[in-house]
Amino acid sequence: MELKLLLLFMVLAAIAAVQIKDLLSSVIAVGAVGLGLSLAFLILKAPDLAITQLVVEILCLIILIRATINKDLPLVRDGRWFFNTASTLLFIALFLIFAYFALPELPRFGQPIMRVAQEYIDKGLVKTGATNIVAAIILDFRSYDTLGEATILFTAVMGVLAVIRRVGRINEK
Amino acid sequence: MKNKKEVGMTLIVKTITRLTVGLILLYGIYIVLHGHVSPGGGFAGGVIIALSFIHLMLAFGKEAALKKLSQAASSILESLGALMFLSIALLGFLGGYFFFNFFLHKGTPFALFSAGIIPLCNIAISLKVGAGLFAIFAVLILFKSR
Amino acid sequence: MIEYILCFILFCIGLYCVLRKRNIIKIVIGLGIVEYAVNLFFVLIGFRMHGRAPILAKDQTISNMVDPLPQALVLTSIVIGLAVTALIVAIAIRLYEKYGTFDITKIRRLRG
């Protein structure tokens, strides 16, 4: 029950984040969505994810506020709104059609299909010695995923440094 | 009103920061080191370590934080974390394959020194995530529009 | 089943924000909401009613754990989302410096 209330709160905060005109208020509303997600992870029995989502949300909020603060915004008028709205509704309708066909195939809420994970739970302690099964999965059974994640993070840091840096631009005066 | 040499926030914020920033850093290290026995791990701990330095930067201004950990040092630390992770993975060839858990005796469960390579990987990932996110934030702060 | 439907609604709100809005910061916010919805959907699939967190406890055997595999996948996905958000914000700041606006149609008009 509390999970449904929390999801409803997240939906309302997301609508507020999309519709508010002021950008700083919008960023703070999306922070409310992220913190609600952190609480939802805690209710869904995923404490690792709750801790990570909490701290990541704080850092994300600081970065977004850095982007929006001290920027006086010209008022954005909506031109060509009919075409934009029509294409948006088309994409959402497409997604909803696929979701309607996929919904009966999903496992019922609260009864997961655990073919692979049951083996991880049974043999995790014997094979790795770690009592936190999530840590055992991400760093022992499925380390390739973590290696790919490390590569993506490295590439993102390189990308930010390359986009922001000023040295080496001779033509720009 | 404002003294010219004074950078950063007010005296109250600075005093509270001086008291709490060490505790935040210590909590991040605790989360990293206990990642295999309790919730947490390299990702969350790395972000908390980065947040402690960002806290310092927000309260004291950018020079004070960059004196503690400069931008070049954070780049080097991030690369060091990536190399450490990769070398741990390559050391698995001692036992036959990539990412082999090469400690034969895994230690007693629920102890700090247990679980083979998992704590070492946690430390490598926390170095990588923490230094990388701090480098991103420092670059975004240092960028000034003309 | 209501949980899945609310998660889909959250995804639709994010999709609407990405496709309809013309401010770059709004697009970043929409991408963030879409990412939250996908992460939440993964964890919702692995939830077991009256289950326990996937952490072993001393001197007791736990039979009803929730599924740890989606949690492990989502854990890496969260940090990737933060890095991608930082990258988009860097590009947005650069565009603001060059064109003086966050409006994407004006940026398109000033090309060349």
Side-chain angles (χ1 to χ4, degrees):
Chain A
M1 186 61 209
E2 60 267 25
L3 184 63
K4 288 170 194 165
L5 281 179
L6 203 56
L7 288 179
L8 203 62
F9 166 73
M10 281 170 61
V11 167
L12 290 179
I15 291 174
V18 171
Q19 287 299 335
I20 290 178
K21 286 271 192 295
D22 186 23
L23 276 188
L24 194 57
S25 312
S26 179
V27 167
I28 290 171
V30 85
V33 182
L35 295 181
L37 182 61
S38 169
L39 276 179
F41 282 154
L42 200 57
I43 292 174
L44 288 169
K45 301 289 190 298
D48 300 272
L49 295 181
I51 295 174
T52 311
Q53 175 68 36
L54 182 65
V55 291
V56 159
E57 185 56 44
I58 292 168
L59 191 49
C60 189
L61 211 59
I62 295 174
I63 289 177
L64 279 175
I65 287 175
R66 162 71 185 88
T68 60
I69 209 156
N70 285 339
K71 300 264 165 68
D72 49 344
L73 295 160
L75 198 66
V76 176
R77 284 184 295 108
D78 280 340
R80 293 195 307 162
W81 64 271
F82 179 74
F83 177 71
N84 277 349
T85 312
S87 61
T88 305
L89 289 182
L90 179 70
F91 272 104
I92 289 179
L94 208 62
F95 168 73
L96 283 180
I97 287 169
F98 280 115
Y100 177 74
F101 284 123
L103 203 54
E105 306 292 326
L106 291 174
R108 288 178 55 83
F109 181 69
Q111 295 156 2
I113 305 168
M114 295 169 69
R115 273 192 219 117
V116 182
Q118 196 59 51
E119 192 176 331
Y120 289 160
I121 291 175
D122 291 339
K123 298 180 183 168
L125 184 59
V126 182
K127 281 193 173 180
T128 67
T131 52
N132 186 355
I133 305 287
V134 176
I137 289 176
I138 63 169
L139 291 175
D140 200 307
F141 290 113
R142 286 182 165 261
S143 301
Y144 279 106
D145 292 354
T146 313
L147 190 63
E149 186 274 343
T151 313
I152 293 175
L153 190 65
F154 193 73
T155 315
V157 173
M158 287 301 117
V160 172
L161 293 183
V163 166
I164 288 291
R165 70 172 182 167
R166 177 103 356 105
V167 286
R169 290 175 178 269
I170 304 168
N171 295 329
E172 200 177 291
K173 281 183 183 168
Chain B
M1 229 16 146
K2 207 172 173 185
N3 197 352
K4 213 163 202 181
K5 283 180 184 169
E6 214 44 50
V7 289
M9 295 190 182
T10 58
L11 184 66
I12 302 170
V13 179
K14 282 184 180 174
T15 310
I16 300 293
T17 302
R18 223 173 268 132
L19 289 177
T20 54
V21 74
L23 293 178
I24 295 174
L25 185 61
L26 207 60
Y27 179 63
I29 293 171
Y30 164 78
I31 289 259
V32 171
L33 289 184
H34 286 255
H36 55 290
V37 290
S38 64
F43 296 106
V47 181
I48 293 173
I49 290 172
L51 273 177
S52 73
F53 281 102
I54 287 171
H55 187 184
L56 206 62
M57 182 180 268
L58 287 178
F60 283 96
K62 49 183 180 269
E63 283 83 12
L66 287 180
K67 209 186 293 172
K68 295 251 193 280
L69 180 66
S70 75
Q71 206 179 329
S74 62
S75 291
I76 290 173
L77 275 180
E78 197 213 350
S79 310
L80 201 68
L83 280 179
M84 188 174 158
F85 191 54
L86 205 57
S87 59
I88 289 169
L90 283 177
L91 274 178
F93 278 119
L94 289 178
Y97 53 88
F98 208 52
F99 276 119
F100 179 67
N101 201 338
F102 53 82
F103 284 88
L104 287 179
H105 184 62
K106 299 289 192 317
T108 56
F110 301 101
L112 186 57
F113 295 103
S114 64
I117 62 168
I118 291 180
L120 297 176
C121 285
N122 265 333
I123 292 171
I125 287 174
S126 73
L127 267 182
K128 179 162 178 44
V129 172
L133 292 178
F134 179 73
I136 287 179
F137 189 76
V139 160
L140 284 180
I141 286 291
L142 287 176
F143 181 79
K144 279 194 290 267
S145 58
R146 280 167 294 181
Chain C
M1 207 49 76
I2 297 175
E3 290 86 357
Y4 290 149
I5 293 171
L6 283 171
C7 190
F8 287 158
I9 291 173
L10 198 64
F11 187 89
C12 285
I13 292 168
L15 200 62
Y16 171 81
C17 187
V18 169
L19 291 173
R20 180 74 176 78
K21 297 291 174 181
R22 292 167 49 188
N23 196 323
I24 292 183
I25 299 296
K26 286 276 189 186
I27 291 175
V28 176
I29 286 170
L31 277 176
I33 292 173
V34 168
E35 182 206 324
Y36 293 156
V38 173
N39 287 347
L40 180 64
F41 182 65
F42 267 77
V43 180
L44 278 178
I45 280 187
F47 182 63
R48 179 194 284 256
M49 204 61 84
H50 308 297
R52 289 190 49 176
I55 292 162
L56 299 176
K58 225 174 244 185
D59 301 328
Q60 52 179 326
T61 56
I62 299 168
S63 58
N64 54 347
M65 271 188 191
V66 300
D67 197 350
L69 191 54
Q71 299 188 10
L73 297 181
V74 168
L75 187 61
T76 57
S77 156
I78 290 173
V79 181
I80 289 175
L82 176 61
V84 169
T85 303
L87 184 58
I88 302 173
V89 165
I91 293 174
I93 290 176
R94 200 69 175 155
L95 280 175
Y96 188 86
E97 189 213 2
K98 182 131 176 119
Y99 292 115
T101 178
F102 276 140
D103 193 350
I104 52 169
T105 56
K106 295 228 179 70
I107 289 167
R108 200 182 297 144
R109 200 170 296 147
L110 284 171
R111 181 181 55 192

